[in-house]
């Protein structure tokens, strides 16, 4: 009887310890960082590795066609200013989101495409998660494949990165979780059957098997925020761009994999 | 903007077993899903895929609603002679796409 009592007390203590939030979350040390790729099954890795099996390449091909297509009142194509994307767009995705001096805030790749459309092509903006916007961003980002992520070091960006970090660390939603509680503290564990992973956005836009489509980093972030039963920001909201900025700073030095495949 | 990705070896030795990989852009809407307002989303899938080599059919597949978007079909064949592979996808709402690839057999 006494032994059972002891076990019960131990069980209670363990339960209590689990319910107490950790005092301070610790970010992942650089040498322990792993791309989401390394958490995948070999079959899924094989899809990403073969450009003729990777469905994300369908969007890249579409993007290549759009790059050369004239749009808007100005009758200009992306290629008319930026010429050959394989030279001019190389490394762009590796340093985005970047600071836009006119707006005075950071913009991500999707917003940059739409700003270019408004300012130079005089065309209407492409909707978030539309086929055309995903195709163009996938095509641009693919030009940086294999390059190390190198966030823009402008000091103007620093306060925005800090805000993104705040968001990542802050507990919120009905489940009272912060991003860090899963992605820093429990990335080596599973949530239901899926690997938690480290929140390192190396391959966006990604082809996600669950979506059966390519999707942006913001789509993924909104999924996660809804998953912790918090109120998500709208697409393109400054809060999401700040979070993107912080996540890219976490992934500094890791190679771009666009278009990556994830389960 | 439907497009296909085809992977056929450019060269092969006579008698070699070669793998042919095809990827077709398609939403493969099952016809079983409903919108938020309860309306049925009509079925829109690829229903058949065929591959001909120098005019003769060497592979055919029927596709059904349970197949995921952007169907990836790969199969093996024996390289017998140089020639041209013609691929054809047919689906709902008059969907047809074709692609081709050549191989040199030594």
């Amino acid at each position: 009887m006494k032994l059972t009592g002891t076990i019960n007390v131990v069980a209670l203590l363990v339960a209590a310890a689990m319910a107490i939030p950790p005092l301070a979350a610790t970010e992942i040390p650089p040498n322990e960082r792993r791309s989401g790729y390394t958490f995948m099954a070999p079959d899924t890795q094989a899809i990403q590795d073969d450009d003729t099996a990777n469905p994300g390449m369908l969007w890249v091909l579409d993007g290549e066609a759009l790059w050369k297509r004239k749009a808007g009142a100005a009758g200009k194509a992306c290629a008319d200013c930026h010429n050959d994307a394989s030279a001019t767009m190389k490394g762009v995705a590796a340093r985005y989101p970047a600071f836009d001096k006119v707006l005075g805030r950071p913009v991500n790749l999707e917003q940059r495409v739409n700003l270019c459309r408004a300012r130079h092509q005089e065309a209407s903006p492409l909707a978030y998660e539309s086929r055309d916007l995903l195709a163009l961003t996938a095509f641009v980002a693919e030009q940086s494949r294999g390059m190390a992520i190198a966030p823009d070091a402008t000091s103007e960006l620093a306060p925005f990165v800090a805000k993104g970090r705040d968001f990542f660390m802050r507990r919120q939603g009905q489940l009272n979780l912060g991003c860090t509680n899963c992605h820093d503290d429990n990335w080596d564990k599973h949530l239901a059957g899926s690997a938690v992973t480290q929140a390192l956005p190396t391959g966006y836009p990604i082809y996600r098997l669950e979506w059966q489509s390519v999707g942006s980093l913001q789509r993924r972030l909104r999924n996660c925020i809804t998953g912790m039963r918090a109120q998500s920001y709208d697409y393109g909201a400054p809060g999401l761009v700040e979070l993107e900025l912080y996540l890219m700073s976490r992934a500094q030095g890791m190679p771009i994999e666009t278009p990556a495949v994830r389960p | 903007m439907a497009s296909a990705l085809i992977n056929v070896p450019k060269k092969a030795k006579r008698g070699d077993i070669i793998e042919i990989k095809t990827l077709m852009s398609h939403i493969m809407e099952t016809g079983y899903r409903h919108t938020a307002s309860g309306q049925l989303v009509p079925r829109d899938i690829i229903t058949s895929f065929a591959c001909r080599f120098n005019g003769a059919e060497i592979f055919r597949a029927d596709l059904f609603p349970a197949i995921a978007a952007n169907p990836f079909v790969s199969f093996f064949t024996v390289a017998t002679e140089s020639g041209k592979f013609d691929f054809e996808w047919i689906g709902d709402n008059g969907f047809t796409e074709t692609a081709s690839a050549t191989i040199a057999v030594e």
Side-chain angles (χ1 to χ4, degrees):
Chain A
M1 276 314 277
K2 188 154 187 257
L3 187 63
T4 335
T6 319
I7 289 170
N8 279 342
V9 169
V10 170
L12 270 176
L13 282 174
V14 169
M18 278 160 60
I20 298 167
L23 292 173
T26 43
E27 287 172 78
I28 302 160
N31 58 349
E32 283 176 33
R33 289 180 308 170
R34 287 167 52 187
S35 157
Y37 177 88
T38 63
F39 291 85
M40 304 198 296
D43 285 351
T44 322
Q45 292 180 345
I47 303 176
Q48 178 174 324
D49 292 341
D50 180 352
D51 276 352
T52 54
N54 181 345
M57 290 307 288
L58 295 169
W59 274 255
V60 173
L61 286 179
D62 281 354
E64 191 175 7
L66 286 172
W67 182 261
K68 295 169 192 151
R69 187 178 303 167
K70 296 191 188 305
K76 279 197 266 188
C78 308
D80 290 336
C81 293
H82 297 292
N83 305 313
D84 181 8
S86 65
T88 57
M89 291 296 117
K90 203 172 163 64
V92 170
R95 63 179 168 81
Y96 259 69
F99 192 77
D100 185 89
K101 286 202 165 61
V102 178
L103 295 178
R105 61 178 167 83
V107 294
N108 63 14
L109 215 47
E110 286 82 1
Q111 291 171 320
R112 172 58 66 207
V113 169
N114 275 335
L115 283 175
C116 243
R117 284 177 70 83
R119 290 172 186 170
H120 306 297
Q121 293 181 301
E122 294 166 43
S124 54
L126 299 170
Y128 282 97
E129 303 310 294
S130 64
R131 175 100 188 178
D132 283 3
L133 187 55
L134 290 170
L136 271 173
T137 50
F139 172 67
V140 169
E142 198 255 353
Q143 309 306 321
S144 305
R145 185 147 66 158
M147 293 180 71
I149 292 174
D152 199 336
T154 12
S155 57
E156 289 155 315
L157 278 176
F160 297 98
V161 179
K163 275 199 224 170
R165 187 178 184 281
D166 279 352
F167 182 94
F168 193 85
M169 298 298 169
R170 187 167 71 235
R171 283 179 180 272
Q172 55 184 310
Q174 290 180 323
L175 297 185
N176 196 28
L177 284 172
C179 313
T180 183
N181 297 123
C182 286
H183 297 291
D184 281 333
D185 299 340
N186 290 297
W187 56 263
D188 52 347
K189 299 189 180 68
H190 285 75
L191 184 61
S194 308
V196 171
T197 76
Q198 299 182 339
L200 300 166
T202 49
Y204 284 86
I206 58 164
Y207 189 90
R208 199 160 175 228
L209 302 181
E210 184 188 316
W211 294 337
Q212 301 200 16
S213 167
V214 163
S216 70
L217 176 54
Q218 295 211 348
R219 180 174 179 184
R220 187 71 196 85
L221 296 177
R222 282 163 52 88
N223 273 184
C224 236
I225 296 168
T226 308
M228 45 196 209
R229 299 191 201 162
Q231 177 73 47
S232 180
Y233 291 119
D234 288 333
Y235 280 109
L240 281 182
V241 179
E242 289 156 7
L243 185 54
E244 277 190 56
L245 258 177
Y246 169 64
L247 295 181
M248 289 304 269
S249 76
R250 281 165 71 89
Q252 180 158 18
M254 299 178 75
I256 295 266
E257 295 169 41
T258 311
V261 175
R262 295 290 182 266
Chain B
M1 281 195 293
S3 48
L5 282 170
I6 307 289
N7 186 352
V8 173
K10 286 196 174 61
K11 280 193 283 187
K13 287 202 175 69
R14 197 176 306 275
D16 274 0
I17 294 171
I18 55 167
E19 184 177 15
I20 293 168
K21 299 189 227 177
T22 69
L23 183 66
M24 171 47 71
S25 176
H26 199 285
I27 57 167
M28 296 297 281
E29 182 59 53
T30 61
Y32 297 121
R33 299 197 305 163
H34 293 81
T35 61
S37 59
Q39 272 187 315
L40 191 71
V41 182
R43 192 184 88 164
D44 182 11
I45 63 167
I46 295 173
T47 48
S48 95
F49 166 73
C51 172
R52 285 176 203 83
F53 182 64
N54 291 343
E57 186 170 290
I58 58 163
F59 184 86
R60 166 173 289 278
D62 290 334
L63 286 83
F64 296 93
I67 294 172
N70 309 310
F72 175 71
V73 179
S74 97
F75 56 94
F76 294 86
T77 186
V78 178
T80 50
E81 54 178 342
S82 298
K84 186 170 161 225
F85 292 95
D86 287 299
F87 305 92
E88 186 180 39
W89 295 260
I90 295 171
D92 294 336
N93 307 319
F95 178 87
T96 56
E97 278 291 325
T98 54
S100 60
T102 53
I103 186 169
V105 174
E106 294 152 353

